[in-house]
Amino acid sequence: MNVDGLRRLENAMRTPEMLEMTVDYLAENLKKFLQPGDDFLICFDNHEPDNIGDLLAKAAKKIGVNALIPEDLRWKTILKLAFRSRACAISAPPFVVLGLTKLARHTQTPLYFHNVVTVGYRCTNWIIEGIQKGLDCQVWGCYGPGSGALVSGFTCNKEAVIHLRDDLF
């Protein structure tokens, strides 16, 4: 199946029921490392309903976690929020997190992320190792077809295993 086929599949599955099941699935996985009252930095746009940023924010709210979402996704805005907040977890594309870790080490500015959720595509080992070394954290990942709004799998900490959603597969 090519990329166009995956996008058509995702669009066909974007029913309100399926999106709510995706929020439930994300909430269940976020509960593994987030507690009510924690701050969770989400570096994805949430202005469009039902994109991955919006679904992560809904999942965080569902489990009582504060979703911190930058007003825009410019690097400067993300940097300010990442360094000023005391968020214990972040969800972002892998290279954004890797860039934050490199900058934090270079400037000797602490980041408080203990858990990182990469979204979009599988990371090569050197990216995960760089994030873990830079933040002394656990790295998780969630994956889906197309834009990733319908999350179909979630990885365990430091493992290459993807657990597929029971309700989809």
Side-chain angles (χ1 to χ4, degrees):
M1 184 178 287
N2 61 21
V3 174
D4 289 334
L6 286 174
R7 285 193 184 118
R8 283 194 302 273
L9 173 65
E10 180 183 19
N11 288 334
M13 295 176 64
R14 264 185 195 255
T15 64
E17 298 81 21
M18 187 58 74
L19 290 168
E20 186 58 36
M21 289 168 55
T22 299
V23 169
D24 292 342
Y25 177 75
L26 286 170
E28 195 61 37
N29 281 287
L30 293 177
K31 281 196 303 190
K32 294 175 183 174
F33 54 88
L34 289 171
Q35 303 296 318
D38 283 349
D39 290 332
F40 179 38
L41 179 57
I42 301 171
C43 295
F44 292 99
D45 178 23
N46 77 328
H47 301 294
E48 292 182 36
D50 303 328
N51 69 10
I52 191 64
D54 183 52
L55 296 177
L56 282 166
K58 287 176 181 175
K61 183 178 180 180
K62 190 170 202 147
I63 61 171
V65 170
N66 304 315
L68 306 175
I69 302 170
E71 57 205 44
D72 60 64
L73 296 176
R74 292 179 303 168
W75 189 241
K76 184 177 180 179
T77 307
I78 292 172
L79 287 173
K80 282 182 184 177
L81 190 54
F83 287 115
R84 289 182 181 166
S85 75
R86 292 223 175 229
C88 66
I90 181 173
S91 182
F95 284 110
V96 170
V97 180
L98 188 60
L100 286 172
T101 63
K102 297 291 184 187
L103 189 60
R105 290 183 72 177
H106 178 72
T107 61
Q108 297 181 345
T109 306
L111 288 170
Y112 301 95
F113 308 131
H114 301 293
N115 291 281
V116 173
V117 179
T118 60
V119 177
Y121 53 88
R122 299 282 309 261
C123 296
T124 57
N125 287 342
W126 70 268
I127 295 173
I128 291 179
E129 289 168 5
I131 292 170
Q132 288 172 331
K133 184 178 178 184
L135 293 174
D136 188 28
C137 66
Q138 298 179 26
V139 178
W140 309 75
C142 60
Y143 308 97
S147 67
L150 287 174
V151 175
S152 56
F154 208 90
T155 61
C156 291
N157 172 36
K158 297 183 185 180
E159 291 183 18
V161 177
I162 296 179
H163 300 280
L164 297 177
R165 284 175 55 178
D166 291 335
D167 60 340
L168 287 180
F169 302 99

